[in-house]
Amino acid sequence: MVFEFILKKHNLDPAADLSIDQSISFGLTAAAFPSSGASYTVEFEPFATALEKEGNGYVVASLGTESGYVPYTAYSAKKSYIEKNPQIIQAFTNATQRGLDYVNSHSAEEIAKVIKPQFPDTDLDSLTVIVGRYKDQDTWKGDTIFEESSFDLLQNILEEAGELPKRVPYEDLVTTEFSKKALP
């Protein structure tokens, strides 16, 4: 959806101006790309960097950079849970903020060394390249505040894709009180 939204933003019609093969299982697109005859593929990491290291492709653009701050990662809880467990919500938000503080104040090399145990199948050099790319692209925000502009962008993308039958007011779904308290 984000890719098609970006194409349309650049006056390209995904249905008329190019052919998008969505028949390949998401987790297999990087493996299929070299022999597919396709000119481009959309990949998440570490697959994009693996294609580069194998000499089978190059990272030419970032969907995240092109789209703006799309909230790829957001946390949801029922209002009743939040009301009954504000300390848990605050502790989780505080921990997430500390993670953002860390990635925004440390080098790609330092971050790669810390996260390496979570990515046993990815070598340290590749992790460093990936983290460096994310840092260069300003992937990590400085805070956990889910801004109204990002909420609107997400709804625009979902609406454009035909997946959102009705827009929802920001204040009906988003609370920023815990994020604001988590700020250093």
Side-chain angles (χ1 to χ4, degrees):
M1 286 185 281
V2 171
F3 180 55
E4 290 186 11
F5 182 82
I6 293 167
L7 291 172
K8 291 174 186 175
K9 186 171 105 173
H10 290 283
N11 299 314
L12 292 168
D13 181 343
D17 296 332
L18 60 147
S19 173
I20 299 175
D21 182 355
Q22 295 186 14
S23 68
I24 303 168
S25 175
F26 181 72
L28 301 175
T29 56
F33 176 67
S35 62
S36 70
S39 299
Y40 299 92
T41 181
V42 176
E43 298 297 333
F44 282 100
E45 293 293 1
F47 304 111
T49 297
L51 283 170
E52 271 189 337
K53 286 187 87 171
E54 295 161 358
N56 290 323
Y58 303 95
V59 174
V60 297
S62 161
L63 297 183
T65 299
E66 288 295 317
S67 64
Y69 275 117
V70 176
Y72 280 100
T73 303
Y75 301 99
S76 302
K78 290 183 177 182
K79 190 175 184 178
S80 59
Y81 183 87
I82 294 170
E83 289 169 355
K84 290 179 186 171
N85 302 286
Q87 71 288 354
I88 292 172
I89 300 296
Q90 191 62 63
F92 181 82
T93 307
N94 292 349
T96 304
Q97 181 63 54
R98 283 193 306 275
L100 286 173
D101 293 342
Y102 184 87
V103 297
N104 285 308
S105 64
H106 287 77
S107 71
E109 295 81 10
E110 291 170 313
I111 297 165
K113 286 177 185 173
V114 169
I115 66 172
K116 177 66 179 113
Q118 282 73 49
F119 299 93
D121 297 333
T122 306
D123 64 86
L124 186 60
D125 288 340
S126 292
L127 274 179
T128 303
V129 168
I130 293 165
V131 172
R133 189 174 285 147
Y134 282 4
K135 288 180 80 62
D136 291 345
Q137 295 168 358
D138 195 27
T139 298
W140 295 298
K141 288 181 66 208
D143 59 59
T144 65
I145 296 172
F146 190 170
E147 296 162 350
E148 190 166 1
S149 59
S150 292
F151 184 77
D152 290 341
L153 176 59
L154 178 60
Q155 289 196 98
N156 292 344
I157 292 167
L158 292 169
E159 196 170 58
E160 182 79 30
E163 298 294 329
L164 183 67
K166 181 181 171 192
R167 292 181 81 87
V168 179
Y170 171 80
E171 54 278 350
D172 287 0
L173 286 184
V174 177
T175 180
T176 60
E177 76 176 271
F178 299 98
S179 292
K180 289 176 181 174
K181 288 179 186 173
L183 291 172

